[in-house]
PDB file of all heavy atoms in Angstrom:
ATOM      1  N   ILE A   1     -14.383  17.677  -0.335  1.00 98.00           N
ATOM      2  CA  ILE A   1     -15.236  17.735  -1.520  1.00 98.00           C
ATOM      3  C   ILE A   1     -14.407  17.996  -2.768  1.00 98.00           C
ATOM      4  O   ILE A   1     -14.596  17.349  -3.807  1.00 98.00           O
ATOM      5  CB  ILE A   1     -16.323  18.805  -1.338  1.00 98.00           C
ATOM      6  CG1 ILE A   1     -17.360  18.325  -0.313  1.00 98.00           C
ATOM      7  CG2 ILE A   1     -17.005  19.138  -2.666  1.00 98.00           C
ATOM      8  CD1 ILE A   1     -18.343  19.398   0.114  1.00 98.00           C
ATOM      9  N   THR A   2     -13.490  18.951  -2.698  1.00 97.00           N
ATOM     10  CA  THR A   2     -12.678  19.256  -3.883  1.00 97.00           C
ATOM     11  C   THR A   2     -11.785  18.066  -4.249  1.00 97.00           C
ATOM     12  O   THR A   2     -11.578  17.783  -5.435  1.00 97.00           O
ATOM     13  CB  THR A   2     -11.828  20.516  -3.659  1.00 97.00           C
ATOM     14  OG1 THR A   2     -11.061  20.380  -2.453  1.00 97.00           O
ATOM     15  CG2 THR A   2     -12.708  21.742  -3.530  1.00 97.00           C
ATOM     16  N   ALA A   3     -11.278  17.359  -3.243  1.00 98.00           N
ATOM     17  CA  ALA A   3     -10.480  16.164  -3.532  1.00 98.00           C
ATOM     18  C   ALA A   3     -11.356  15.094  -4.183  1.00 98.00           C
ATOM     19  O   ALA A   3     -10.943  14.433  -5.147  1.00 98.00           O
ATOM     20  CB  ALA A   3      -9.848  15.631  -2.249  1.00 98.00           C
ATOM     21  N   ALA A   4     -12.576  14.915  -3.667  1.00 98.00           N
ATOM     22  CA  ALA A   4     -13.485  13.915  -4.223  1.00 98.00           C
ATOM     23  C   ALA A   4     -13.918  14.279  -5.637  1.00 98.00           C
ATOM     24  O   ALA A   4     -14.086  13.399  -6.491  1.00 98.00           O
ATOM     25  CB  ALA A   4     -14.703  13.757  -3.321  1.00 98.00           C
ATOM     26  N   LEU A   5     -14.093  15.564  -5.907  1.00 98.00           N
ATOM     27  CA  LEU A   5     -14.441  15.993  -7.260  1.00 98.00           C
ATOM     28  C   LEU A   5     -13.353  15.597  -8.250  1.00 98.00           C
ATOM     29  O   LEU A   5     -13.631  15.162  -9.372  1.00 98.00           O
ATOM     30  CB  LEU A   5     -14.659  17.505  -7.298  1.00 98.00           C
ATOM     31  CG  LEU A   5     -15.987  18.035  -6.741  1.00 98.00           C
ATOM     32  CD1 LEU A   5     -15.940  19.556  -6.600  1.00 98.00           C
ATOM     33  CD2 LEU A   5     -17.145  17.630  -7.653  1.00 98.00           C
ATOM     34  N   PHE A   6     -12.120  15.736  -7.852  1.00 96.00           N
ATOM     35  CA  PHE A   6     -11.001  15.362  -8.721  1.00 96.00           C
ATOM     36  C   PHE A   6     -11.039  13.865  -9.016  1.00 96.00           C
ATOM     37  O   PHE A   6     -10.848  13.432 -10.157  1.00 96.00           O
ATOM     38  CB  PHE A   6      -9.680  15.749  -8.044  1.00 96.00           C
ATOM     39  CG  PHE A   6      -8.474  15.486  -8.883  1.00 96.00           C
ATOM     40  CD1 PHE A   6      -8.166  16.315  -9.952  1.00 96.00           C
ATOM     41  CD2 PHE A   6      -7.647  14.409  -8.620  1.00 96.00           C
ATOM     42  CE1 PHE A   6      -7.040  16.080 -10.737  1.00 96.00           C
ATOM     43  CE2 PHE A   6      -6.528  14.159  -9.397  1.00 96.00           C
ATOM     44  CZ  PHE A   6      -6.227  14.999 -10.462  1.00 96.00           C
ATOM     45  N   GLU A   7     -11.317  13.069  -7.986  1.00 97.00           N
ATOM     46  CA  GLU A   7     -11.401  11.628  -8.174  1.00 97.00           C
ATOM     47  C   GLU A   7     -12.583  11.258  -9.069  1.00 97.00           C
ATOM     48  O   GLU A   7     -12.473  10.371  -9.926  1.00 97.00           O
ATOM     49  CB  GLU A   7     -11.526  10.934  -6.817  1.00 97.00           C
ATOM     50  CG  GLU A   7     -12.076   9.519  -6.855  1.00 97.00           C
ATOM     51  CD  GLU A   7     -11.251   8.567  -7.706  1.00 97.00           C
ATOM     52  OE1 GLU A   7     -10.058   8.848  -7.968  1.00 97.00           O
ATOM     53  OE2 GLU A   7     -11.807   7.536  -8.132  1.00 97.00           O
ATOM     54  N   THR A   8     -13.708  11.937  -8.910  1.00 97.00           N
ATOM     55  CA  THR A   8     -14.891  11.627  -9.709  1.00 97.00           C
ATOM     56  C   THR A   8     -14.646  11.920 -11.183  1.00 97.00           C
ATOM     57  O   THR A   8     -15.163  11.223 -12.065  1.00 97.00           O
ATOM     58  CB  THR A   8     -16.104  12.423  -9.203  1.00 97.00           C
ATOM     59  OG1 THR A   8     -16.340  12.073  -7.831  1.00 97.00           O
ATOM     60  CG2 THR A   8     -17.358  12.110 -10.000  1.00 97.00           C
ATOM     61  N   VAL A   9     -13.855  12.949 -11.477  1.00 94.00           N
ATOM     62  CA  VAL A   9     -13.507  13.245 -12.869  1.00 94.00           C
ATOM     63  C   VAL A   9     -12.789  12.044 -13.489  1.00 94.00           C
ATOM     64  O   VAL A   9     -12.993  11.699 -14.660  1.00 94.00           O
ATOM     65  CB  VAL A   9     -12.625  14.506 -12.951  1.00 94.00           C
ATOM     66  CG1 VAL A   9     -12.016  14.652 -14.337  1.00 94.00           C
ATOM     67  CG2 VAL A   9     -13.446  15.740 -12.606  1.00 94.00           C
ATOM     68  N   ARG A  10     -11.963  11.377 -12.707  1.00 96.00           N
ATOM     69  CA  ARG A  10     -11.197  10.239 -13.230  1.00 96.00           C
ATOM     70  C   ARG A  10     -12.030   8.970 -13.315  1.00 96.00           C
ATOM     71  O   ARG A  10     -11.932   8.220 -14.280  1.00 96.00           O
ATOM     72  CB  ARG A  10      -9.977   9.976 -12.346  1.00 96.00           C
ATOM     73  CG  ARG A  10      -8.948  11.094 -12.382  1.00 96.00           C
ATOM     74  CD  ARG A  10      -7.679  10.711 -11.659  1.00 96.00           C
ATOM     75  NE  ARG A  10      -7.896  10.476 -10.238  1.00 96.00           N
ATOM     76  CZ  ARG A  10      -6.906  10.317  -9.345  1.00 96.00           C
ATOM     77  NH1 ARG A  10      -5.650  10.366  -9.756  1.00 96.00           N
ATOM     78  NH2 ARG A  10      -7.179  10.117  -8.078  1.00 96.00           N
ATOM     79  N   SER A  11     -12.867   8.726 -12.282  1.00 97.00           N
ATOM     80  CA  SER A  11     -13.567   7.439 -12.202  1.00 97.00           C
ATOM     81  C   SER A  11     -15.029   7.503 -12.622  1.00 97.00           C
ATOM     82  O   SER A  11     -15.609   6.478 -12.979  1.00 97.00           O
ATOM     83  CB  SER A  11     -13.490   6.910 -10.763  1.00 97.00           C
ATOM     84  OG  SER A  11     -14.261   7.740  -9.891  1.00 97.00           O
ATOM     85  N   GLY A  12     -15.613   8.694 -12.550  1.00 96.00           N
ATOM     86  CA  GLY A  12     -17.032   8.816 -12.844  1.00 96.00           C
ATOM     87  C   GLY A  12     -17.922   8.374 -11.701  1.00 96.00           C
ATOM     88  O   GLY A  12     -19.158   8.383 -11.818  1.00 96.00           O
ATOM     89  N   VAL A  13     -17.335   7.986 -10.603  1.00 97.00           N
ATOM     90  CA  VAL A  13     -18.091   7.465  -9.460  1.00 97.00           C
ATOM     91  C   VAL A  13     -17.925   8.402  -8.272  1.00 97.00           C
ATOM     92  O   VAL A  13     -16.812   8.834  -7.955  1.00 97.00           O
ATOM     93  CB  VAL A  13     -17.598   6.046  -9.083  1.00 97.00           C
ATOM     94  CG1 VAL A  13     -18.357   5.525  -7.866  1.00 97.00           C
ATOM     95  CG2 VAL A  13     -17.752   5.107 -10.261  1.00 97.00           C
ATOM     96  N   GLY A  14     -19.036   8.713  -7.614  1.00 97.00           N
ATOM     97  CA  GLY A  14     -18.991   9.557  -6.427  1.00 97.00           C
ATOM     98  C   GLY A  14     -18.671   8.744  -5.187  1.00 97.00           C
ATOM     99  O   GLY A  14     -18.402   7.537  -5.252  1.00 97.00           O
ATOM    100  N   GLN A  15     -18.703   9.394  -4.041  1.00 98.00           N
ATOM    101  CA  GLN A  15     -18.446   8.703  -2.785  1.00 98.00           C
ATOM    102  C   GLN A  15     -19.048   9.480  -1.634  1.00 98.00           C
ATOM    103  O   GLN A  15     -19.495  10.613  -1.795  1.00 98.00           O
ATOM    104  CB  GLN A  15     -16.952   8.505  -2.581  1.00 98.00           C
ATOM    105  CG  GLN A  15     -16.117   9.769  -2.639  1.00 98.00           C
ATOM    106  CD  GLN A  15     -14.630   9.448  -2.621  1.00 98.00           C
ATOM    107  OE1 GLN A  15     -14.127   8.779  -1.717  1.00 98.00           O
ATOM    108  NE2 GLN A  15     -13.910   9.922  -3.637  1.00 98.00           N
ATOM    109  N   VAL A  16     -19.067   8.857  -0.463  1.00 98.00           N
ATOM    110  CA  VAL A  16     -19.602   9.488   0.740  1.00 98.00           C
ATOM    111  C   VAL A  16     -18.437  10.021   1.565  1.00 98.00           C
ATOM    112  O   VAL A  16     -17.447   9.322   1.786  1.00 98.00           O
ATOM    113  CB  VAL A  16     -20.427   8.486   1.575  1.00 98.00           C
ATOM    114  CG1 VAL A  16     -20.960   9.160   2.846  1.00 98.00           C
ATOM    115  CG2 VAL A  16     -21.575   7.922   0.757  1.00 98.00           C
ATOM    116  N   ILE A  17     -18.557  11.255   2.008  1.00 98.00           N
ATOM    117  CA  ILE A  17     -17.536  11.881   2.849  1.00 98.00           C
ATOM    118  C   ILE A  17     -18.068  11.973   4.269  1.00 98.00           C
ATOM    119  O   ILE A  17     -19.154  12.521   4.501  1.00 98.00           O
ATOM    120  CB  ILE A  17     -17.163  13.282   2.332  1.00 98.00           C
ATOM    121  CG1 ILE A  17     -16.604  13.204   0.913  1.00 98.00           C
ATOM    122  CG2 ILE A  17     -16.164  13.949   3.273  1.00 98.00           C
ATOM    123  CD1 ILE A  17     -16.342  14.558   0.284  1.00 98.00           C
ATOM    124  N   ASP A  18     -17.343  11.441   5.218  1.00 98.00           N
ATOM    125  CA  ASP A  18     -17.705  11.463   6.636  1.00 98.00           C
ATOM    126  C   ASP A  18     -16.724  12.384   7.355  1.00 98.00           C
ATOM    127  O   ASP A  18     -15.600  11.986   7.670  1.00 98.00           O
ATOM    128  CB  ASP A  18     -17.647  10.036   7.193  1.00 98.00           C
ATOM    129  CG  ASP A  18     -17.881   9.962   8.703  1.00 98.00           C
ATOM    130  OD1 ASP A  18     -18.184  11.003   9.314  1.00 98.00           O
ATOM    131  OD2 ASP A  18     -17.755   8.847   9.254  1.00 98.00           O
ATOM    132  N   ALA A  19     -17.132  13.635   7.603  1.00 97.00           N
ATOM    133  CA  ALA A  19     -16.265  14.620   8.256  1.00 97.00           C
ATOM    134  C   ALA A  19     -16.683  14.780   9.714  1.00 97.00           C
ATOM    135  O   ALA A  19     -17.839  15.089  10.006  1.00 97.00           O
ATOM    136  CB  ALA A  19     -16.341  15.961   7.529  1.00 97.00           C
ATOM    137  N   SER A  20     -15.741  14.568  10.613  1.00 97.00           N
ATOM    138  CA  SER A  20     -15.965  14.728  12.051  1.00 97.00           C
ATOM    139  C   SER A  20     -15.247  15.977  12.530  1.00 97.00           C
ATOM    140  O   SER A  20     -14.052  16.159  12.263  1.00 97.00           O
ATOM    141  CB  SER A  20     -15.423  13.505  12.804  1.00 97.00           C
ATOM    142  OG  SER A  20     -15.140  13.816  14.157  1.00 97.00           O
ATOM    143  N   MET A  21     -15.966  16.835  13.246  1.00 96.00           N
ATOM    144  CA  MET A  21     -15.340  18.064  13.745  1.00 96.00           C
ATOM    145  C   MET A  21     -14.260  17.764  14.781  1.00 96.00           C
ATOM    146  O   MET A  21     -13.256  18.479  14.857  1.00 96.00           O
ATOM    147  CB  MET A  21     -16.403  18.991  14.324  1.00 96.00           C
ATOM    148  CG  MET A  21     -17.283  19.645  13.281  1.00 96.00           C
ATOM    149  SD  MET A  21     -18.510  20.752  14.010  1.00 96.00           S
ATOM    150  CE  MET A  21     -19.984  19.737  13.843  1.00 96.00           C
ATOM    151  N   VAL A  22     -14.463  16.719  15.568  1.00 95.00           N
ATOM    152  CA  VAL A  22     -13.437  16.346  16.549  1.00 95.00           C
ATOM    153  C   VAL A  22     -12.154  15.924  15.835  1.00 95.00           C
ATOM    154  O   VAL A  22     -11.055  16.388  16.166  1.00 95.00           O
ATOM    155  CB  VAL A  22     -13.942  15.198  17.450  1.00 95.00           C
ATOM    156  CG1 VAL A  22     -12.817  14.677  18.335  1.00 95.00           C
ATOM    157  CG2 VAL A  22     -15.090  15.681  18.317  1.00 95.00           C
ATOM    158  N   GLU A  23     -12.296  15.072  14.833  1.00 95.00           N
ATOM    159  CA  GLU A  23     -11.122  14.606  14.096  1.00 95.00           C
ATOM    160  C   GLU A  23     -10.484  15.736  13.294  1.00 95.00           C
ATOM    161  O   GLU A  23      -9.258  15.817  13.175  1.00 95.00           O
ATOM    162  CB  GLU A  23     -11.528  13.456  13.178  1.00 95.00           C
ATOM    163  CG  GLU A  23     -11.957  12.215  13.949  1.00 95.00           C
ATOM    164  CD  GLU A  23     -12.694  11.195  13.095  1.00 95.00           C
ATOM    165  OE1 GLU A  23     -12.925  11.477  11.894  1.00 95.00           O
ATOM    166  OE2 GLU A  23     -13.034  10.132  13.631  1.00 95.00           O
ATOM    167  N   GLY A  24     -11.324  16.624  12.752  1.00 94.00           N
ATOM    168  CA  GLY A  24     -10.793  17.758  12.007  1.00 94.00           C
ATOM    169  C   GLY A  24     -10.016  18.710  12.892  1.00 94.00           C
ATOM    170  O   GLY A  24      -8.948  19.207  12.517  1.00 94.00           O
ATOM    171  N   ALA A  25     -10.551  18.964  14.094  1.00 94.00           N
ATOM    172  CA  ALA A  25      -9.846  19.839  15.031  1.00 94.00           C
ATOM    173  C   ALA A  25      -8.511  19.238  15.431  1.00 94.00           C
ATOM    174  O   ALA A  25      -7.494  19.938  15.541  1.00 94.00           O
ATOM    175  CB  ALA A  25     -10.706  20.091  16.267  1.00 94.00           C
ATOM    176  N   ALA A  26      -8.497  17.924  15.644  1.00 94.00           N
ATOM    177  CA  ALA A  26      -7.238  17.251  15.986  1.00 94.00           C
ATOM    178  C   ALA A  26      -6.224  17.383  14.847  1.00 94.00           C
ATOM    179  O   ALA A  26      -5.040  17.621  15.079  1.00 94.00           O
ATOM    180  CB  ALA A  26      -7.494  15.783  16.300  1.00 94.00           C
ATOM    181  N   LEU A  27      -6.709  17.244  13.610  1.00 94.00           N
ATOM    182  CA  LEU A  27      -5.809  17.372  12.465  1.00 94.00           C
ATOM    183  C   LEU A  27      -5.240  18.778  12.365  1.00 94.00           C
ATOM    184  O   LEU A  27      -4.052  18.959  12.065  1.00 94.00           O
ATOM    185  CB  LEU A  27      -6.558  17.009  11.183  1.00 94.00           C
ATOM    186  CG  LEU A  27      -5.735  17.040   9.894  1.00 94.00           C
ATOM    187  CD1 LEU A  27      -4.594  16.027   9.957  1.00 94.00           C
ATOM    188  CD2 LEU A  27      -6.608  16.767   8.687  1.00 94.00           C
ATOM    189  N   LEU A  28      -6.065  19.791  12.621  1.00 94.00           N
ATOM    190  CA  LEU A  28      -5.565  21.169  12.626  1.00 94.00           C
ATOM    191  C   LEU A  28      -4.465  21.350  13.671  1.00 94.00           C
ATOM    192  O   LEU A  28      -3.587  22.196  13.520  1.00 94.00           O
ATOM    193  CB  LEU A  28      -6.705  22.148  12.899  1.00 94.00           C
ATOM    194  CG  LEU A  28      -7.797  22.266  11.825  1.00 94.00           C
ATOM    195  CD1 LEU A  28      -8.881  23.225  12.292  1.00 94.00           C
ATOM    196  CD2 LEU A  28      -7.213  22.744  10.499  1.00 94.00           C
ATOM    197  N   GLY A  29      -4.541  20.559  14.719  1.00 90.00           N
ATOM    198  CA  GLY A  29      -3.547  20.664  15.793  1.00 90.00           C
ATOM    199  C   GLY A  29      -2.415  19.671  15.686  1.00 90.00           C
ATOM    200  O   GLY A  29      -1.770  19.348  16.694  1.00 90.00           O
ATOM    201  N   HIS A  30      -2.128  19.219  14.472  1.00 88.00           N
ATOM    202  CA  HIS A  30      -1.080  18.208  14.314  1.00 88.00           C
ATOM    203  C   HIS A  30       0.252  18.661  14.895  1.00 88.00           C
ATOM    204  O   HIS A  30       1.018  17.849  15.433  1.00 88.00           O
ATOM    205  CB  HIS A  30      -0.904  17.863  12.829  1.00 88.00           C
ATOM    206  CG  HIS A  30      -0.303  18.971  12.030  1.00 88.00           C
ATOM    207  ND1 HIS A  30      -1.039  20.043  11.567  1.00 88.00           N
ATOM    208  CD2 HIS A  30       0.980  19.204  11.640  1.00 88.00           C
ATOM    209  CE1 HIS A  30      -0.232  20.871  10.923  1.00 88.00           C
ATOM    210  NE2 HIS A  30       0.985  20.395  10.941  1.00 88.00           N
ATOM    211  N   ALA A  31       0.531  19.968  14.776  1.00 84.00           N
ATOM    212  CA  ALA A  31       1.824  20.461  15.286  1.00 84.00           C
ATOM    213  C   ALA A  31       1.917  20.309  16.797  1.00 84.00           C
ATOM    214  O   ALA A  31       3.002  20.061  17.350  1.00 84.00           O
ATOM    215  CB  ALA A  31       2.023  21.923  14.896  1.00 84.00           C
ATOM    216  N   LEU A  32       0.795  20.451  17.494  1.00 81.00           N
ATOM    217  CA  LEU A  32       0.800  20.298  18.948  1.00 81.00           C
ATOM    218  C   LEU A  32       1.105  18.858  19.331  1.00 81.00           C
ATOM    219  O   LEU A  32       1.851  18.599  20.279  1.00 81.00           O
ATOM    220  CB  LEU A  32      -0.552  20.722  19.521  1.00 81.00           C
ATOM    221  CG  LEU A  32      -1.057  22.114  19.115  1.00 81.00           C
ATOM    222  CD1 LEU A  32      -2.382  22.412  19.772  1.00 81.00           C
ATOM    223  CD2 LEU A  32      -0.026  23.188  19.485  1.00 81.00           C
ATOM    224  N   PHE A  33       0.504  17.904  18.594  1.00 82.00           N
ATOM    225  CA  PHE A  33       0.795  16.498  18.861  1.00 82.00           C
ATOM    226  C   PHE A  33       2.258  16.185  18.537  1.00 82.00           C
ATOM    227  O   PHE A  33       2.892  15.368  19.213  1.00 82.00           O
ATOM    228  CB  PHE A  33      -0.134  15.606  18.032  1.00 82.00           C
ATOM    229  CG  PHE A  33      -1.539  15.566  18.557  1.00 82.00           C
ATOM    230  CD1 PHE A  33      -2.529  16.372  18.010  1.00 82.00           C
ATOM    231  CD2 PHE A  33      -1.877  14.727  19.606  1.00 82.00           C
ATOM    232  CE1 PHE A  33      -3.826  16.339  18.499  1.00 82.00           C
ATOM    233  CE2 PHE A  33      -3.181  14.691  20.112  1.00 82.00           C
ATOM    234  CZ  PHE A  33      -4.158  15.498  19.555  1.00 82.00           C
ATOM    235  N   ASN A  34       2.778  16.839  17.521  1.00 81.00           N
ATOM    236  CA  ASN A  34       4.181  16.657  17.150  1.00 81.00           C
ATOM    237  C   ASN A  34       5.086  17.089  18.311  1.00 81.00           C
ATOM    238  O   ASN A  34       6.009  16.363  18.715  1.00 81.00           O
ATOM    239  CB  ASN A  34       4.482  17.467  15.900  1.00 81.00           C
ATOM    240  CG  ASN A  34       5.833  17.175  15.283  1.00 81.00           C
ATOM    241  OD1 ASN A  34       6.070  17.484  14.123  1.00 81.00           O
ATOM    242  ND2 ASN A  34       6.752  16.599  16.029  1.00 81.00           N
ATOM    243  N   VAL A  35       4.825  18.271  18.837  1.00 75.00           N
ATOM    244  CA  VAL A  35       5.638  18.782  19.947  1.00 75.00           C
ATOM    245  C   VAL A  35       5.504  17.870  21.164  1.00 75.00           C
ATOM    246  O   VAL A  35       6.486  17.562  21.840  1.00 75.00           O
ATOM    247  CB  VAL A  35       5.222  20.221  20.291  1.00 75.00           C
ATOM    248  CG1 VAL A  35       5.867  20.668  21.589  1.00 75.00           C
ATOM    249  CG2 VAL A  35       5.621  21.162  19.168  1.00 75.00           C
ATOM    250  N   ARG A  36       4.258  17.432  21.419  1.00 73.00           N
ATOM    251  CA  ARG A  36       4.052  16.547  22.567  1.00 73.00           C
ATOM    252  C   ARG A  36       4.851  15.260  22.406  1.00 73.00           C
ATOM    253  O   ARG A  36       5.396  14.715  23.371  1.00 73.00           O
ATOM    254  CB  ARG A  36       2.565  16.222  22.696  1.00 73.00           C
ATOM    255  CG  ARG A  36       2.210  15.283  23.839  1.00 73.00           C
ATOM    256  CD  ARG A  36       2.522  15.892  25.185  1.00 73.00           C
ATOM    257  NE  ARG A  36       1.710  17.077  25.414  1.00 73.00           N
ATOM    258  CZ  ARG A  36       1.990  18.026  26.293  1.00 73.00           C
ATOM    259  NH1 ARG A  36       3.092  17.920  27.021  1.00 73.00           N
ATOM    260  NH2 ARG A  36       1.220  19.073  26.446  1.00 73.00           N
ATOM    261  N   GLY A  37       4.969  14.792  21.188  1.00 76.00           N
ATOM    262  CA  GLY A  37       5.668  13.535  20.941  1.00 76.00           C
ATOM    263  C   GLY A  37       7.161  13.594  21.148  1.00 76.00           C
ATOM    264  O   GLY A  37       7.805  12.556  21.331  1.00 76.00           O
ATOM    265  N   VAL A  38       7.739  14.788  21.109  1.00 71.00           N
ATOM    266  CA  VAL A  38       9.191  14.907  21.287  1.00 71.00           C
ATOM    267  C   VAL A  38       9.538  15.643  22.579  1.00 71.00           C
ATOM    268  O   VAL A  38      10.664  16.078  22.754  1.00 71.00           O
ATOM    269  CB  VAL A  38       9.831  15.645  20.085  1.00 71.00           C
ATOM    270  CG1 VAL A  38       9.613  14.859  18.809  1.00 71.00           C
ATOM    271  CG2 VAL A  38       9.279  17.063  19.933  1.00 71.00           C
ATOM    272  N   THR A  39       8.592  15.741  23.503  1.00 63.00           N
ATOM    273  CA  THR A  39       8.820  16.504  24.742  1.00 63.00           C
ATOM    274  C   THR A  39      10.033  16.000  25.515  1.00 63.00           C
ATOM    275  O   THR A  39      10.809  16.783  26.063  1.00 63.00           O
ATOM    276  CB  THR A  39       7.574  16.434  25.650  1.00 63.00           C
ATOM    277  OG1 THR A  39       6.484  17.058  24.985  1.00 63.00           O
ATOM    278  CG2 THR A  39       7.821  17.147  26.969  1.00 63.00           C
ATOM    279  N   GLU A  40      10.212  14.695  25.544  1.00 59.00           N
ATOM    280  CA  GLU A  40      11.293  14.140  26.359  1.00 59.00           C
ATOM    281  C   GLU A  40      12.671  14.560  25.859  1.00 59.00           C
ATOM    282  O   GLU A  40      13.628  14.605  26.630  1.00 59.00           O
ATOM    283  CB  GLU A  40      11.181  12.619  26.387  1.00 59.00           C
ATOM    284  CG  GLU A  40       9.951  12.129  27.141  1.00 59.00           C
ATOM    285  CD  GLU A  40       9.906  10.625  27.227  1.00 59.00           C
ATOM    286  OE1 GLU A  40      10.847   9.987  26.714  1.00 59.00           O
ATOM    287  OE2 GLU A  40       8.947  10.094  27.810  1.00 59.00           O
ATOM    288  N   THR A  41      12.771  14.834  24.563  1.00 59.00           N
ATOM    289  CA  THR A  41      14.082  15.221  24.017  1.00 59.00           C
ATOM    290  C   THR A  41      14.155  16.716  23.734  1.00 59.00           C
ATOM    291  O   THR A  41      15.152  17.196  23.210  1.00 59.00           O
ATOM    292  CB  THR A  41      14.350  14.453  22.711  1.00 59.00           C
ATOM    293  OG1 THR A  41      13.310  14.735  21.768  1.00 59.00           O
ATOM    294  CG2 THR A  41      14.386  12.945  22.977  1.00 59.00           C
ATOM    295  N   ASN A  42      13.095  17.447  24.069  1.00 58.00           N
ATOM    296  CA  ASN A  42      13.053  18.885  23.803  1.00 58.00           C
ATOM    297  C   ASN A  42      13.854  19.608  24.883  1.00 58.00           C
ATOM    298  O   ASN A  42      13.585  19.429  26.080  1.00 58.00           O
ATOM    299  CB  ASN A  42      11.601  19.372  23.797  1.00 58.00           C
ATOM    300  CG  ASN A  42      11.458  20.757  23.201  1.00 58.00           C
ATOM    301  OD1 ASN A  42      12.360  21.576  23.306  1.00 58.00           O
ATOM    302  ND2 ASN A  42      10.320  21.025  22.594  1.00 58.00           N
ATOM    303  N   PRO A  43      14.833  20.427  24.504  1.00 53.00           N
ATOM    304  CA  PRO A  43      15.649  21.114  25.521  1.00 53.00           C
ATOM    305  C   PRO A  43      14.856  22.142  26.326  1.00 53.00           C
ATOM    306  O   PRO A  43      15.263  22.521  27.404  1.00 53.00           O
ATOM    307  CB  PRO A  43      16.752  21.781  24.697  1.00 53.00           C
ATOM    308  CG  PRO A  43      16.168  21.935  23.332  1.00 53.00           C
ATOM    309  CD  PRO A  43      15.281  20.748  23.139  1.00 53.00           C
TER     310      PRO A  43
END
């Protein structure tokens, strides 16, 4: 919402925000996916 408010100040046009809790939880866990991605080279 705060990001969209900043954009609306510039354009004058609003938008629809589609927030998914599953996708949000995954984003919060980005570091876990990062570690998983380098497991093969992790000592």
Side-chain angles (χ1 to χ4, degrees):
I1 288 170
T2 53
L5 283 169
F6 183 75
E7 161 59 21
T8 300
V9 168
R10 294 188 297 190
S11 68
V13 178
Q15 55 188 304
V16 179
I17 300 174
D18 175 5
S20 157
M21 288 181 255
V22 172
E23 294 165 357
L27 182 62
L28 293 177
H30 70 279
L32 307 181
F33 286 98
N34 190 162
V35 170
R36 179 64 64 200
V38 298
T39 297
E40 292 183 1
T41 58
N42 194 329

